[in-house]
Each structure stands twice: as C-alpha cells, then as structure tokens.
Amino acid sequence: MIQSLLIANRGEIACRIIRTARRLGIRTIAVYSDADADALHVRQADEAVHIGPSPARESYLVGERILAAARQTGAQAIHPGYGFLSENSAFAQSVIDAGLIWVGPNPASIDAMGLKDAAKTLMAAAGVPVTPGYMGADQNPDHLAAEAAKIGYPVLIKAVAGGGGKGMRLVESAEAFHDALASCQREAAASFGNDHVLIEKYILSPRHIEVQVFGDSHGNVVHLFERDCSLQRRHQKVIEEAPAPGMDEATRAALCASAVRAAKAVDYVGAGTIEFIADGSGALRADRIWFMEMNTRLQVEHPVTEEITGVDLVEWQLRVASGEPLPLAQEDLAIHGWAMEARLYAEDPAKGFLPSIGKLELLQFGESEGAGGRGRVDTGVFEGAEVSPFYDPMIAKVIAWGEDRDEARERLSERLSDSAVWPVKTNASFLVKALDHPDFVAGTVDTGLIGRSSAVLAQTPQPSCEVLEAAAAALVPDVPVSGFRLNAAPIRTAWFLLDDQEIEVALHPGGGGEAVEAVMVAEQGQAWRLSPWRREGVHGAAAGSGAIVSPMPGKVIAVDVEAGQTVTAGQKLLTLEAMKMEHTLTAPFAGIVAELNVTAGQQVQVEALLARIEAEAE
C-alpha cells in the first residue's frame, strides 16, 4: 500500500481524499496557493507545501511545482483529484517518469479518450453505440454545414477537446449554423487550445446517464452501475442520482456491458466514467442510448455511487495504484437503496447565478435524519473561511440516501432547506425548488428542465411571516401590546432590516428576556440577518409629520434640544442606546421642536413618540 500521498488539488476533493487516506494510515501532503494558505485541506493534511500565486495557472496547473513539492516532502504517489491536471496525460507521464505512483489511468488511456472525435471512432470499433454525427478531419465551415444538414437539425456542435459545458452549441436551423460554429470555435480555442469540432445529432429530450467503471492492472474491469446527471444548467450538472430513474434490469445490463467494453478497449486502470446520452422522450431502451465521452478520472458525483454500493472509490483508487487487484468482483456488487447529490454553490440565482464571494460568517448544514445517519456533506470550507474569486465557487456537495427515490429526494430537500450560509449567497433554495419540481418528483427529467423552468426556480425566496415574527420577538422580547381593534387581537408593528431590505414585522407579547442586537433567520436554505432599523435621519417619521419615534426599545442617553427650540434639517436631536449601540436621531426638516417627551436616562419602547418637529410658517 502507498505510504505517502501528495494531493495535487484543493477544496472539497482534496479533503475527500485526505479522509480516506487517513483511515488507511497514509501520510498526506497538501499543496496550496496564496489564496488557500488557510484552507481546510491545508489544515487537514499532515504536511502542506506552497506552490505559487492564487491564479490556478500559476499554481495548481503548474506540474513542475507539484513535482517539486513531491520531491521536497518525499511523497510516494500523487493523486490529481478532478479538474486541474487530472486528465493531463503529459503530467501523468511526468509523474511516472519521476519514479512516483500516478493514482489514475495510464497516460495512453487518457490520450485515447481525450479527444471526443477519436474516442467515438474507437468506441464504434469496440461495439459501443455512438450518437449519429460527423467526426471527420475536414473543418471547413461549408463542409461542416453540409454534414449538419445530412444529420438533420437540431444538431450539437462540440469541441473535440471540450469539457465542462465549454465549446458546445445547440443549433436548430441551417441559418444559425455558421454563427454558432464560429462562436464555438473561438471558445474552444480559448479554453482548450484546439478549435476542432464534431457535430452530432441533438436528442430532443436528452438524458445524461453515466456508468462508473473501474479497472486494475491485472486485467479486471467492473462497473458500479449507473448515475443520472440529467438535471443540468447550461451543460453543468446540478443534481445527480443513482440509480437512474426508469432504468429496468435489461437496459441496465446492456448499458453497463457497453461501458465495460469501452473501458477494456483502452486497457483502463483506475476509476473512470463512461458518459452516455439517452433519448428521454419515452421509456429507456438500450437501442436509444449512445456513447458520448469518457472521463478518465474520479467524478464530482462519485459519492452517490459510493452510497448505493457501500464502496469507497478513493480507497479502490489507492489500492489499484498500489498494484492490488480490485477488492470486489462484478458478482459481489449490488445496488442498495437510492442516493442523490446536490452541488451547493456560492452564487446568486436571482442575479444570473453570478458567483458570490466573501467570508462565510455563517455556515451550517442540515442534519441527516434516519437511515442510520446515511448521507453526508463533502466540503472544502469551514465557518469563517473565505470564498475566493480564483476557483470554482462550490461550497459543498450535499448527499442524501434513502430506501427509495422519494425518500432520498425528500431527505436531500430537507437537508438543503435546513442549511444556512451568510452573507455569501448560495443556490440552496434553487436546489430545493428543483428537487420539488413536479417533473423531477416524477423522475421525468431531461437536460432542458432547468432551462424551461429557470424563471421560477431562480426566484429569490423571502422568509415567512411566522419566522420573521419569531425573530422580531427575540429582538424585542418585551412588547407592551396596546390598542383596541374591534373583533381582533391588538397588534403592534416595527421596522427592521432584513440584510439591507427595510421590512415591517408584527410584534407579539414576548416571554421576557434580554434583547439581542441581531438575529439570523434561516428558511428554505437561505439565511438573512434581521436587525432593528437604525435610521440615520427620519426615524419613524411619517411623510412630512415630523414625528420622531423610537425605532426599538432602548434608553435615551442624551437630549440635545429643548422644547420650542429652532432646529435645522439633519440636526442632532437625541441619542438612543439599544443593542449595546448608540443611534442618533436627527431632525427630518427645519422647524421648531413642538413636542419633547423624554429626558436623558429614560427607558423607551419601540415606536414611542420621542419628539415632534413642526415646520416654521412661511
């Protein structure tokens, strides 16, 4: 078994690898950039080495710096995680040439599957069904347009070196083809240094189904069943599940057999994923599922496979890289229950999913209920950590397991709903809405579901009246309820700030206690900070009334004017102390202090009339 392991990655996946390595007694070495000096993976590893500035191209993507760190620490092996250099065959070869163990497939296998067109040609020769399309070398725009016409619209233009949703365009008509091609080629050249594309038939109701495969150096290859990753936003996976809904045993057997043939065709060793596209317009059938590509690494969504099989895929990676055979044979593997994973991102759905950065002042994940506590949260951050602008904005992968699909879905929804992150914005409520979407509940999901429903899913939620009123009671615990309303309970309201939004909340008699400065409100996976409305100027004054009312319960510690005194707009009138802070109340306009109802040292309640300013007669 490997004795020391350098993890050439960061964040959640680095922490995930460290967890298994520690259980196996393997010494772990982390690498980090300037931005990650205090990151969780650095804290958790046995040793850590600084490898450069914050941008990935100057640190995590510089293979020589990672190799230097391995030499410096005496690491025996390098695990690349996913992303960064994980599918870079040249880096894999340099690790091997340095006399280190590469925890991944052979460089030749990476190369064989690295370009989509070559991979499809290879798969077709191996008897794996591939999507109808054009994968030729002629990249003349007119020739590509002619091939698209032969295939029949709609078609998908895809960069042969693409991945992660980049270098991909859906084209629905011949008139739109040339512009889409030029755009796709520009993006492909910028992202991958290769502007060659392939064209394939676009399936109108596509489902993204993939099979986890695993090979060892003794010629064994197994599959660990399928995952469904159809819930996507702009080709980026959002929620993944295993097994795939609607998959019968005969179709599963044919699909997984194709995946094993694909892995054997490239002498695959280690963890890999064969990705397929399925026609979701009807029931899943083996003759309507086609090879799309292979990811020659561990997938982000690997936990759902672990949850339904009971296998630790990182442990398998380390054992296979150490030369051991696969721990289990195909007949020893089975599906148990259902698992779902949601990717919790630091992004704001209401603002076009723009990344949200900053300090995680509040970070709480909902607890896993029932099922023996199965399900987990894989994260690379902690409360108090910074969400950096330099890397993927993932906060965590939230995973739930259940005896069946409904139970797994409900548990994941509850766990996300009970999570709270602040002030960084997240997509938690978006995920909850997606899980509760009627089509997702029914299991009739295709890759276009989010696009069709994005306006509803991305709406910013607001906390309920019940939650706000409970929070207000903590801020104003002793509320004297007065006033009479015919056939109705007396009611008082006060103004508060919900983050930066001014809101009016009903107050109810409290149970006593001491007021606090602010309360965190959490609901539907969102978090807000509720605090008294500290008005800088016209505190509680109705338009033009000149009424100065107390915005909260407190103590008047200074009175700077007298009754009958002439004041100017913005002049300081008095100072109120509340929540251990001082709040200055000022004149809303020039006039005379017509009424002054308090003295220094006096306690006042919320909305008490403290003073009144009358405008001078013209």
Side-chain angles (χ1 to χ4, degrees), residues 149-417:
K150 288 181 188 177
I151 296 166
Y153 289 95
V155 299
L156 202 59
I157 305 174
K158 298 172 72 173
V160 299
K166 295 179 179 178
M168 189 180 301
R169 296 292 186 276
L170 170 62
V171 188
E172 301 191 42
S173 67
E175 292 75 19
F177 182 83
H178 282 283
D179 285 345
L181 172 64
S183 175
C184 183
Q185 288 176 325
R186 286 193 301 270
E187 186 172 273
S191 299
F192 315 112
N194 185 340
D195 67 356
H196 278 221
V197 300
L198 59 83
I199 303 169
E200 63 184 24
K201 178 68 177 174
Y202 181 74
I203 310 304
L204 289 175
S205 297
R207 286 180 60 180
H208 184 141
I209 298 175
E210 59 191 34
V211 177
Q212 177 72 61
V213 294
F214 223 109
D216 63 23
S217 55
H218 304 275
N220 303 305
V221 178
V222 300
H223 68 79
L224 291 94
F225 311 103
E226 82 282 356
R227 300 184 286 257
D228 192 307
C229 307
S230 300
L231 199 68
Q232 300 180 6
R233 187 183 70 82
R234 298 177 183 172
H235 307 295
Q236 294 282 347
K237 299 169 187 175
V238 175
I239 293 174
E240 304 97 350
E241 60 184 303
M247 180 73 70
D248 60 49
E249 288 302 325
T251 304
R252 174 175 291 122
L255 177 69
C256 292
S258 288
V260 170
R261 285 199 302 275
K264 286 183 175 180
V266 292
D267 299 320
Y268 200 78
V269 174
T273 301
I274 311 296
E275 301 200 357
F276 294 89
I277 188 167
D279 184 346
S281 60
L284 290 175
R285 289 188 351 213
D287 63 348
R288 290 163 39 142
I289 303 177
W290 302 276
F291 171 85
M292 187 164 56
E293 62 184 331
M294 182 178 190
N295 286 309
T296 53
R297 54 172 168 80
L298 196 66
Q299 289 280 89
V300 176
E301 58 272 20
H302 75 273
V304 294
T305 295
E306 294 182 324
E307 291 295 315
I308 66 165
T309 62
V311 166
D312 184 330
L313 292 175
V314 174
E315 178 180 345
W316 277 33
Q317 284 186 298
L318 297 172
R319 291 193 180 281
V320 165
S322 299
E324 298 180 19
L326 292 175
L328 296 174
Q330 190 66 67
E331 57 268 23
D332 300 320
L333 294 163
I335 295 174
H336 302 285
W338 212 285
M340 289 188 183
E341 171 184 299
R343 303 187 187 191
L344 184 64
Y345 280 111
E347 61 186 12
D348 190 350
K351 295 183 178 179
F353 294 88
L354 286 174
S356 179
I357 62 173
K359 186 176 182 179
L360 294 164
E361 295 185 23
L362 176 67
L363 179 65
Q364 295 178 357
F365 300 110
E367 295 297 323
S368 179
E369 299 292 339
R374 290 183 64 171
R376 69 196 207 217
V377 174
D378 287 6
T379 185
V381 296
F382 54 90
E383 192 168 270
E386 292 278 342
V387 176
S388 165
F390 295 103
Y391 313 112
D392 184 280
M394 182 186 287
I395 292 176
K397 300 185 310 194
V398 183
I399 304 112
W401 180 91
E403 294 287 350
D404 55 31
R405 187 174 187 270
D406 282 343
E407 189 173 56
R409 183 190 62 80
E410 289 169 3
R411 284 181 175 151
L412 182 56
S413 179
E414 289 171 4
R415 193 160 199 173
L416 288 164
S417 294

Side-chain angles (χ1 to χ4, degrees), residues 14 44 58 93 123 157 160 190 216 223 259 308 356 367 394 433 499 504 522 548 563 583 585 599 615:
Q44 291 183 343
E58 300 177 42
Q93 189 61 56
M123 291 299 100
I157 305 174
V160 299
D216 63 23
H223 68 79
I308 66 165
S356 179
E367 295 297 323
M394 182 186 287
K433 291 176 187 175
D499 286 345
E504 189 175 16
I548 308 301
H583 309 280
L585 307 186
T599 58

Side-chain angles (χ1 to χ4, degrees), residues 400-544:
W401 180 91
E403 294 287 350
D404 55 31
R405 187 174 187 270
D406 282 343
E407 189 173 56
R409 183 190 62 80
E410 289 169 3
R411 284 181 175 151
L412 182 56
S413 179
E414 289 171 4
R415 193 160 199 173
L416 288 164
S417 294
D418 293 341
S419 297
V421 181
W422 188 87
V424 171
K425 303 294 184 183
T426 77
N427 64 336
S429 66
F430 172 84
L431 295 170
V432 171
K433 291 176 187 175
L435 286 165
D436 294 338
H437 190 285
D439 288 349
F440 189 87
V441 172
T444 54
V445 182
D446 63 41
T447 59
L449 188 153
I450 286 178
R452 295 190 298 270
S453 308
S454 59
V456 174
L457 297 178
Q459 287 179 352
T460 302
Q462 291 294 312
S464 64
C465 291
E466 292 79 8
V467 167
L468 286 173
E469 289 171 12
L475 290 170
V476 190
D478 293 303
V479 181
V481 177
S482 60
F484 174 77
R485 295 189 301 153
L486 186 63
N487 298 323
I491 188 169
R492 295 289 299 276
T493 63
W495 286 90
F496 296 87
L497 283 179
L498 187 68
D499 286 345
D500 57 359
Q501 176 188 357
E502 300 167 2
I503 61 167
E504 189 175 16
V505 182
L507 300 178
H508 302 282
E514 193 172 325
V516 295
E517 182 180 340
V519 173
M520 294 307 302
V521 176
E523 194 176 31
Q524 303 177 69
Q526 297 294 101
W528 302 264
R529 183 180 188 270
L530 187 72
S531 59
W533 185 15
R534 299 180 176 89
R535 310 181 206 184
E536 294 299 328
V538 192
H539 281 269

